[in-house]
Amino acid sequence: MSLQRSSSGWTTHSLQSNRYYHVSSPVTLLFKRAKRCCRKKGFSAIRLVASHPGIDFTDPDWKTKYLKDFELRFKLPHLRDVLDLKPMPTTFSLMNSSSDARVGNGFRFVKNEENVVGNADAPKVRKNDYVNEDDRTLLKVIKYSSPTSAGAECIDANCSWVEQWVHRAGPRKEIYFEPNKVKAAIVTCGGLCPGLNDVIRQILFTLERYGVEKIFGIRYGFRGFADPDLPMKKLTWDQVQDINLEGGSFLGVSHEGAKITDIVDIIEAKEIDMLFILGGNSTHAGANAIHYECSKRKMKVSVVCVPKTIDNDVLLMDKTFGFDTAVEEAQRAINSAYIEAHSAYHGIGLVKLMGRSSGFIAMHASLASGQVDVCLIPEVHFSLDGPYGVLQHLEHLIRTKGAAVVCVAEGAGQELLTNPNLNEASGNAVLGDIGVHIQQQVKSYFTGRGILADVKYIDPTYMIRSGRANASDAILCTVLGQNAVHGAFAGFSGITVGISNAHYIYLPITEVIASPRFVDPNSRMWHRCLTSTGQPDF
């Protein structure tokens, strides 16, 4: 199995009928086919959920059975599942004494309170330094009274309230690795994303705080496991202390991969105990396969992911790191388009933003700017021509306002283009340039109507992902990096860290890759975007 050609099963769920439709497709084609399936079924609102047997709502005990199934699905994989391991007291302390100051590139540590009794120089012990193993946080926090409530996400026709508890992230009192023996590795996969260096930096800092000295970087994604010309890079505090001030990835990125068995062979040969993988949906699928292969071989290796994508399309997360920075950087392009449009006679500013299959960047950037008249995203079908098309609405804007600003996600309107059946090196389908297409169609339409239109097209797609993280993303990266290390030391493997409802959580990778995350056309946020832009239903 290669990381580019992994496949998975997916289920499309209609909220109206509670029917389930199974969609099996390669990861790289999943988004487009899932949406097309839903559109053909005529769903006005959809939710994608992990494959599991359909719920019999006529069973009076359906809620109890659902909760048991949910708890089983969200149980975190642990090294104890395949190995006979005994925990030990943690070496992580938030209250180091002055005598335990940094020495060179590492720390001198005291262990926990059990090891410092009677030591006059020992730090004071706090009772709430650690997360209890039984701590949980709610995945959903709104109790909807009716399926017709704005943005309602319902399990049954009555919109019953069901508590969905997931594991809280953070340091545990007991750990399953001896820090001075641990060999940890970090790898960044996929494309660039603001905040990659922040996460790398915090993973190293937190590993050092536990007492780990052997920390390595895998260069240029999963390719670094297979390429003999890319040896592992020893990481130190001095090397990474300032990398958060720069964009990109200190370790390099790549969409290329390697066979899972070959990767695990190298992990075994290099005696890696902890592997921290930064990436999106496809990378998570690869990480889960690595975890499974390590478990099958009964290797004591903790595989922990940190979700990375500016598209914000990872399931069950409030947001992924890099997204806030991308939205903020997109403001510059939208503002430029606005100035160009309003400085010209009958000016139209057109901005194309990233978002292959989800329109979160375009939607949030449009909301943030307040200057966008039309926002087009992959999840919402639109027509350019006809009485309810985008072109006629642009003519209306030109006649009434004298100018217009359009924001389009790169994956929007692909059905309007003739695309070659080609894939990129990453395995993703090659997209047609919807921005150029709309620019040409706008010019042709207004010429045919005998109306002067000055169209300015701005494509900042790769610019918004190459910069350093803003303050919001930097904080998120810091906490995610720390919690990734806490999860590894707690003995979990095959998990990812994230934020949900403002709380940091651990989730099984299997649930995160169970379906992609789309903008829900019936969500409150999309309705807010429509209110902001004033655009009609195209």
Side-chain angles (χ1 to χ4, degrees):
M1 175 181 179
S2 72
L3 298 186
Q4 282 77 27
R5 298 183 180 276
S6 59
S7 61
S8 183
W10 310 81
T11 299
T12 305
H13 178 210
S14 164
L15 296 182
Q16 288 80 5
S17 64
N18 289 310
R19 292 179 293 174
Y20 289 80
Y21 297 91
H22 191 74
V23 182
S24 294
S25 64
V27 171
T28 54
L29 298 178
L30 168 69
F31 299 163
K32 182 187 293 185
R33 294 185 181 179
K35 288 187 294 177
R36 186 164 60 239
C37 168
C38 299
R39 193 176 296 134
K40 287 181 178 179
K41 297 296 180 182
F43 301 158
S44 60
I46 65 166
R47 179 177 58 184
L48 296 178
V49 295
S51 297
H52 61 79
I55 304 171
D56 180 8
F57 293 109
T58 61
D59 185 345
D61 295 326
W62 73 263
K63 189 182 292 187
T64 300
K65 293 178 180 178
Y66 176 89
L67 287 172
K68 288 181 179 179
D69 176 61
F70 183 89
E71 184 177 356
L72 182 64
R73 284 165 42 211
F74 283 82
K75 180 180 181 294
L76 299 180
H78 199 280
L79 295 174
R80 292 183 309 235
D81 298 339
V82 294
L83 299 169
D84 183 18
L85 299 175
K86 301 297 182 185
M88 63 192 77
T90 185
T91 56
F92 179 81
S93 172
L94 298 178
M95 300 291 287
N96 288 328
S97 67
S98 58
S99 62
D100 294 305
R102 175 180 294 280
V103 178
N105 292 333
F107 286 102
R108 282 205 304 266
F109 293 93
V110 293
K111 290 196 176 182
N112 64 8
E113 59 270 27
E114 298 169 355
N115 297 320
V116 296
V117 174
N119 183 352
D121 295 327
K124 294 179 180 180
V125 175
R126 299 193 311 187
K127 295 182 179 179
N128 59 344
D129 283 355
Y130 306 104
V131 172
N132 191 290
E133 196 65 37
D134 294 326
D135 282 1
R136 299 289 187 273
T137 182
L138 280 172
L139 194 61
K140 304 291 183 184
V141 295
I142 298 178
K143 181 179 180 180
Y144 294 100
S145 297
S146 165
T148 60
S149 296
E153 296 181 18
C154 304
I155 296 174
D156 67 328
N158 296 322
C159 227
S160 299
W161 168 250
V162 180
E163 296 179 348
Q164 300 175 339
W165 296 101
V166 294
H167 292 256
R168 184 180 171 209
R172 268 58 173 171
K173 257 189 173 183
E174 295 182 327
I175 59 177
Y176 287 83
F177 291 92
E178 295 183 51
N180 61 344
K181 296 182 180 179
V182 166
K183 188 175 184 179
I186 308 169
V187 60
T188 56
C189 303
L192 290 180
C193 179
L196 281 169
N197 286 336
D198 299 69
V199 178
I200 294 169
R201 181 174 180 265
Q202 283 300 321
I203 289 175
L204 182 138
F205 284 180
T206 312
L207 285 168
E208 284 193 340
R209 196 164 184 87
Y210 273 93
V212 178
E213 298 178 356
K214 294 176 287 186
I215 307 169
F216 294 85
I218 307 298
R219 300 165 65 193
Y220 299 103
F222 286 122
R223 176 177 182 166
F225 282 103
D227 194 333
D229 295 327
L230 297 173
M232 292 197 308
K233 184 175 186 176
K234 181 74 166 66
L235 303 181
T236 65
W237 183 87
D238 288 335
Q239 289 177 325
V240 305
Q241 62 174 325
D242 295 327
I243 62 174
N244 61 311
L245 304 179
E246 303 174 358
S249 170
F250 176 70
L251 298 176
V253 295
S254 174
H255 287 286
E256 297 182 26
K259 289 184 178 179
I260 297 298
T261 52
D262 292 343
I263 291 176
V264 177
D265 286 343
I266 294 170
I267 291 173
E268 192 169 16
K270 299 288 186 181
E271 298 181 331
I272 295 172
D273 304 293
M274 296 179 181
L275 180 61
F276 300 97
I277 303 175
L278 285 58
N281 283 300
S282 296
T283 299
H284 273 65
N288 193 59
I290 293 171
H291 156 70
Y292 177 78
E293 182 66 22
C294 289
S295 298
K296 190 169 69 171
R297 300 188 192 185
K298 295 190 175 181
M299 296 165 54
K300 188 183 177 183
V301 177
S302 181
V303 179
V304 179
C305 279
V306 181
K308 172 233 72 171
T309 168
I310 62 171
D311 286 352
N312 203 34
D313 60 355
V314 177
L315 190 67
L316 305 176
M317 308 287 180
D318 284 354
K319 61 180 177 180
T320 52
F321 76 82
F323 174 68
D324 275 354
T325 306
V327 171
E328 186 172 304
E329 287 298 310
Q331 300 306 300
R332 297 166 60 189
I334 292 175
N335 188 54
S336 296
Y338 177 86
I339 292 172
E340 288 284 355
H342 285 262
S343 298
Y345 179 71
H346 287 182
I348 297 176
L350 174 60
V351 179
K352 184 182 77 172
L353 298 177
M354 281 188 160
R356 294 184 61 87
S357 303
S358 61
F360 287 103
I361 294 179
M363 177 178 68
H364 282 256
S366 297
L367 272 167
S369 73
Q371 299 168 339
V372 174
D373 300 294
V374 176
C375 178
L376 305 173
I377 61 175
E379 294 87 344
V380 180
H381 177 76
F382 62 89
S383 298
L384 291 177
D385 303 308
Y388 304 106
V390 174
L391 296 175
Q392 188 173 95
H393 182 60
L394 287 177
E395 180 183 346
H396 169 73
L397 292 171
I398 290 297
R399 292 185 183 278
T400 57
K401 294 177 60 177
V405 177
V406 180
C407 179
V408 58
E410 62 179 331
Q414 290 298 303
E415 65 274 9
L416 304 176
L417 308 175
T418 302
N419 295 329
N421 189 20
L422 299 175
N423 288 338
E424 298 173 346
S426 62
N428 291 324
V430 174
L431 296 179
D433 196 326
I434 186 63
V436 171
H437 179 75
I438 291 178
Q439 179 190 32
Q440 293 172 345
Q441 292 299 308
V442 169
K443 289 182 176 180
S444 177
Y445 174 84
F446 278 92
T447 299
R449 301 280 290 178
I451 304 172
L452 178 66
D454 190 349
V455 186
K456 296 295 192 298
Y457 175 43
I458 299 174
D459 181 358
T461 48
Y462 287 98
M463 293 177 64
I464 68 174
R465 74 177 196 175
S466 59
R468 60 176 292 191
N470 66 7
S472 174
D473 271 329
I475 294 171
L476 178 60
C477 291
T478 296
V479 183
L480 292 178
Q482 292 175 0
N483 281 329
V485 176
H486 295 321
F489 267 104
F492 299 122
S493 182
I495 68 166
T496 190
V497 300
I499 183 171
S500 181
N501 296 311
H503 293 286
Y504 292 92
I505 58 174
Y506 293 136
L507 295 169
I509 294 177
T510 50
E511 289 303 315
V512 171
I513 62 174
S515 71
R517 184 179 180 223
F518 296 137
V519 172
D520 182 354
N522 276 355
S523 67
R524 291 292 298 125
M525 192 58 74
W526 178 244
H527 290 172
R528 292 174 185 127
C529 186
L530 296 180
T531 301
S532 175
T533 62
Q535 69 192 62
D537 182 357
F538 296 121

